[in-house]
Amino acid sequence: MKCDVLVVGAGLAGLTVAERIANDMKLKVIVVDKRDHIGGNVYDFYNNDGILIHKYGPHIFHTNDSEVYEYLSRFTEWRQFEHFVLSSVDGKLVPMPVTLDTVNAIYGTDMNEEEMKAFLEKEAVSFDEIKTSEQVALSKVGPLLYEKLFKNYTKKQWGIDASELDTSVISRIPVRFNHDTRYFADTYQGMPLYGYTKMCEKMVESKNIKLLLKTDYKEIASEIQHRALVYTGRTDEFFHNFYGKLPYRSLDFIFETHDMEKFQEAPCVNYPNDNEYTRITEFKWMTGQTCYKTATCKLIPGDDGQALYPFPTAEYQAQFANYRKLMAKEKNTYFVGRLAEYKYYNMDKVVKRGLEVFEDMKKDYEELSTYERVHSLSEEEL
Amino acid sequence: MKCDVLVVGAGLAGLTVAERIANDMKLKVIVVDKRDHIGGNVYDFYNNDGILIHKYGPHIFHTNDSEVYEYLSRFTEWRQFEHFVLSSVDGKLVPMPVTLDTVNAIYGTDMNEEEMKAFLEKEAVSFDEIKTSEQVALSKVGPLLYEKLFKNYTKKQWGIDASELDTSVISRIPVRFNHDTRYFADTYQGMPLYGYTKMCEKMVESKNIKLLLKTDYKEIASEIQHRALVYTGRTDEFFHNFYGKLPYRSLDFIFETHDMEKFQEAPCVNYPNDNEYTRITEFKWMTGQTCYKTATCKLIPGDDGQALYPFPTAEYQAQFANYRKLMAKEKNTYFVGRLAEYKYYNMDKVVKRGLEVFEDMKKDYEELSTYERVHSLSEEEL
């Protein structure tokens, strides 16, 4: 088989590049994915109880990037939704991130903005140099809030104590001295009105795009002729683990349907100190679906399972840097996305990277002479 | 690319053969389909209002064939459902097929079984030889019931008067002298508990099956090496319309969501004499979904659009007989299903044909020598 561009991975990264190549450059694309569906980890579907759920855990779109927002808006309308999270602490549900309401609830106080500022200044621990995630938190909110809200959550999430994680993990703890309990502060926040899968289906609508599902790229790599390769899979696998396997943190998803209209008081409730799961998400809050039952998802972090979170430690980033060098040597190959770049991108950033890589590809293509453009494929065949 | 068996069409016929080849013979299969989904015309999905609907019109499973029922039961549980239909006649809704209740409602009588028999014997028109669908109906139920229930419905459905359609169209009008208002009398009746699409997903679960979607078979026919071809598409297209295009009757599907829990008094209401649509189906009756809104589908027959019903006339069957001869000459090619065989098969019969064709293929394969089995593919390559 032949195509102009072979895209490995039908997640947001792959679909963004595929869509642009097919619709802007009018070139032929084949998108390959191991799974039996498109959408990668944003895939949503109706479960056996007719409730729209996110197969790979809750996804809430938020961005400050108007280009990305406008790009995706070509493929979906949006449901206005501002995410909010409660954290279960000492039997109470307090808002996350830390706001005036959080502090007052935990300390049983009735402080105002000025009083909270003064209070946290007193609580905060100062360090000569901040090197760990623990220090980031302590320097912002002090020991008690750190213990109750962050310490155990982080340990559960990463399997490593925050004192051993570099600053990037809790790099930015927003602390709000007001009543803004929104989880994200981004300009654009919402959910694709009919779900992520329907948005993704629109992205691949072009007749120039073929989908090859349930297919491991390695099985067909040599059998599909292509001018360029867009690779969104695991980089270590691409290079046959030449520099060793890159570690990932994973999640187990425990889906449950409940015979009630509403299960909990927020789209997401964190359990920093109790249970083996970190949080429970209730999908109807996000999707706006109205029906008699409701579905939730518990997230249980672990090291086995699907590759979800690249480890944000200097050691593994150094390991990845070796792969970066190999990546740079691959001809006509573009690496893009969370797995390929070993980097925890949010959805908006994944799409952004897809758009950037497309621009690179377009430039590379335009730099080819007409002769090369016509003959690049047949030359490869020889 | 290479595979053992290339299956063209991801409808029930193709999926049945693909499943058997992959799981029983452990051979590699690629299933190609033009559409962006598997399931062919049984594909169901949740619409924008979260209601499970059948994209290509209502499908209700019923069979007397325990082999087919048990086969499909490997891939789905069943929701017990016995279909029933009301027909809108003179402003009343009367049961279809014709039962004691239908006759009493239309004639405003209160007959019992014996009286109905005597009555219909008097009504029925006798013919020396029954040649048309109209004559079938008249000989069974007489002119009045024919006019009210069948005449215009048949005209709408086929665009041809029943007096010009051969007997196969209304070949068997069940007339029941009792209160059995079930539409089907089959032993097994029901709906896949979680929908047809989920059942189809199970059918292709094997790692031996790859899916190539949004792909026209003609584009890749020469590019995918295979030992055998299973073709479930239009036969006329396969042979480049050598004997002309085979005509099909089609349907327009008008989907509507209603802001109410229940729209009508039956899963299906026929409109033989009013409106351009023949019937309205309400999906929740069949699927058992409980939610606040409901979705319906009006069926408007026409000649343009997707190929749905092969024309049951001698003329077109003769045209197809020419293609039959060409089909017989194709090496290592198996034609199966409604389109390929130009025959209106119900779902159970489609699956049955898939199982039969699989048995043929297996026999053909077992008749090959070991040498041929190993070398058949590489010989093709030479």
Side-chain angles (χ1 to χ4, degrees), chain A residues 119-237:
Chain A
F119 178 79
L120 283 194
E121 264 167 42
K122 215 173 55 194
E123 284 285 299
V125 183
S126 65
F127 299 93
D128 291 341
E129 193 190 349
I130 291 174
K131 287 180 183 167
T132 69
S133 279
E134 180 174 75
Q135 291 170 331
V136 173
L138 287 171
S139 71
K140 281 293 256 316
V141 299
L144 191 131
L145 288 177
Y146 168 65
E147 297 268 342
K148 287 192 187 294
L149 295 171
F150 299 103
K151 185 180 164 65
N152 298 323
Y153 189 96
T154 307
K155 180 77 195 280
K156 264 200 273 188
Q157 172 65 30
W158 292 103
I160 299 175
D161 202 89
S163 61
E164 293 171 55
L165 283 167
D166 70 33
T167 57
S168 68
V169 175
I170 316 189
S171 63
R172 198 172 49 94
I173 300 185
V175 174
R176 300 195 188 125
F177 300 90
N178 56 33
H179 303 283
D180 180 0
T181 54
R182 294 177 307 162
Y183 195 71
F184 304 115
D186 303 58
T187 312
Y188 306 100
Q189 303 188 32
M191 301 287 289
L193 189 55
Y194 307 119
Y196 289 98
T197 299
K198 285 191 176 155
M199 179 182 82
C200 291
E201 285 169 357
K202 286 262 186 221
M203 292 177 81
V204 298
E205 232 171 32
S206 161
K207 281 191 182 301
N208 290 332
I209 298 177
K210 291 183 171 58
L211 299 174
L212 180 54
L213 302 178
K214 299 184 79 252
T215 303
D216 192 327
Y217 154 70
K218 291 190 287 290
E219 283 182 68
I220 51 87
S222 62
E223 296 177 10
I224 298 182
Q225 292 161 10
H226 51 276
R227 302 164 192 241
L229 178 71
V230 175
Y231 184 80
T232 74
R234 288 180 69 140
T235 295
D236 49 7
E237 289 184 0

Side-chain angles (χ1 to χ4, degrees), chain B residues 76-94:
Chain B
T76 188
E77 298 168 69
W78 298 94
R79 170 172 194 259
Q80 292 312 312
F81 170 71
E82 293 191 325
H83 190 43
F84 65 100
V85 174
L86 297 174
S87 191
S88 172
V89 175
D90 301 337
K92 282 179 283 194
L93 293 176
V94 306

Side-chain angles (χ1 to χ4, degrees), chain B residues 110-324:
Chain B
D110 190 23
M111 291 183 264
N112 62 25
E113 184 177 331
E114 292 310 312
E115 290 164 335
M116 176 177 164
K117 276 183 184 158
F119 178 79
L120 283 194
E121 264 168 41
K122 214 173 53 191
E123 284 287 298
V125 183
S126 64
F127 298 94
D128 290 343
E129 193 190 348
I130 291 176
K131 287 181 182 167
T132 69
S133 278
E134 181 174 76
Q135 290 169 332
V136 173
L138 288 171
S139 70
K140 279 296 252 319
V141 299
L144 190 132
L145 288 177
Y146 169 64
E147 297 268 339
K148 287 191 187 295
L149 295 171
F150 299 103
K151 185 180 165 65
N152 297 323
Y153 189 95
T154 307
K155 180 76 196 281
K156 266 200 272 187
Q157 173 64 29
W158 292 103
I160 298 174
D161 202 273
S163 61
E164 292 172 54
L165 283 167
D166 69 35
T167 57
S168 69
V169 176
I170 316 188
S171 63
R172 198 171 50 92
I173 300 184
V175 174
R176 300 194 188 128
F177 300 90
N178 56 33
H179 303 282
D180 180 1
T181 55
R182 295 177 307 161
Y183 196 70
F184 304 116
D186 303 58
T187 312
Y188 307 100
Q189 303 189 32
M191 301 287 290
L193 188 56
Y194 307 120
Y196 288 97
T197 299
K198 285 191 175 151
M199 178 182 84
C200 290
E201 284 168 358
K202 287 264 185 221
M203 292 178 80
V204 298
E205 231 171 33
S206 161
K207 279 191 183 300
N208 290 332
I209 299 177
K210 290 184 171 56
L211 300 174
L212 181 55
L213 302 178
K214 297 183 82 251
T215 302
D216 192 327
Y217 154 70
K218 290 189 288 292
E219 283 181 69
I220 51 86
S222 61
E223 297 177 10
I224 298 182
Q225 292 161 10
H226 51 275
R227 301 166 193 239
L229 178 71
V230 175
Y231 185 80
T232 75
R234 288 179 69 139
T235 295
D236 48 6
E237 288 183 2
F238 187 89
F239 294 107
H240 309 285
N241 298 313
F242 188 77
Y243 288 116
K245 258 179 113 65
L246 290 164
Y248 284 88
R249 188 71 171 164
S250 191
L251 290 172
D252 252 3
F253 304 106
I254 312 293
F255 293 99
E256 288 164 310
T257 297
H258 311 273
D259 204 358
M260 53 181 72
E261 299 225 359
K262 193 175 85 170
F263 178 78
Q264 63 188 19
E265 291 308 308
C268 177
V269 175
N270 286 357
Y271 292 88
N273 307 313
D274 318 304
N275 313 310
E276 59 170 341
Y277 46 87
T278 49
R279 45 190 165 124
I280 299 179
T281 298
E282 184 174 8
F283 294 103
K284 282 167 73 178
W285 282 94
M286 300 160 186
T287 60
Q289 191 181 4
T290 52
C291 53
Y292 301 111
K293 295 181 179 181
T294 192
T296 56
C297 178
K298 288 175 182 161
L299 303 186
I300 305 178
D303 285 329
D304 302 325
Q306 302 174 84
L308 296 177
Y309 302 99
F311 263 101
T313 64
E315 177 191 353
Y316 301 129
Q317 291 302 327
Q319 184 184 350
F320 180 67
N322 290 323
Y323 282 115
R324 271 268 180 229

Side-chain angles (χ1 to χ4, degrees), chain B residues 40-58:
Chain B
N41 287 352
V42 309
Y43 177 73
D44 53 17
F45 72 105
Y46 286 81
N47 71 5
N48 287 344
D49 296 292
I51 304 167
L52 184 59
I53 66 172
H54 296 183
K55 183 163 182 173
Y56 306 97

Side-chain angles (χ1 to χ4, degrees), chain B residues 271-377:
Chain B
Y271 292 88
N273 307 313
D274 318 304
N275 313 310
E276 59 170 341
Y277 46 87
T278 49
R279 45 190 165 124
I280 299 179
T281 298
E282 184 174 8
F283 294 103
K284 282 167 73 178
W285 282 94
M286 300 160 186
T287 60
Q289 191 181 4
T290 52
C291 53
Y292 301 111
K293 295 181 179 181
T294 192
T296 56
C297 178
K298 288 175 182 161
L299 303 186
I300 305 178
D303 285 329
D304 302 325
Q306 302 174 84
L308 296 177
Y309 302 99
F311 263 101
T313 64
E315 177 191 353
Y316 301 129
Q317 291 302 327
Q319 184 184 350
F320 180 67
N322 290 323
Y323 282 115
R324 271 268 180 229
K325 286 175 210 149
L326 295 184
M327 288 157 72
K329 288 183 193 155
E330 288 292 317
K331 235 183 101 184
N332 299 323
T333 302
Y334 301 82
F335 294 87
V336 54
R338 194 193 281 192
L339 290 174
E341 302 182 57
Y342 197 63
K343 192 157 180 180
Y344 189 83
Y345 287 136
N346 283 327
M347 287 181 281
D348 61 333
K349 187 67 189 169
V350 167
V351 171
K352 183 73 167 187
R353 286 289 301 130
L355 295 173
E356 286 167 1
V357 162
F358 164 70
E359 290 302 333
D360 292 345
M361 293 180 73
K362 195 173 173 179
K363 206 162 135 270
D364 292 347
Y365 184 75
E366 282 163 359
E367 281 169 5
L368 294 174
S369 67
T370 309
Y371 178 85
E372 285 171 316
R373 283 188 214 178
V374 172
H375 291 271
S376 57
L377 187 55

Side-chain angles (χ1 to χ4, degrees), chain A residues 16 28 89 213 220-222 255 258 265 284 304 339 347:
Chain A
T16 300
K28 300 282 181 193
V89 175
L213 302 178
I220 51 87
S222 62
F255 293 99
H258 310 274
E265 291 307 310
K284 282 167 73 178
D304 303 324
L339 291 173
M347 286 182 281

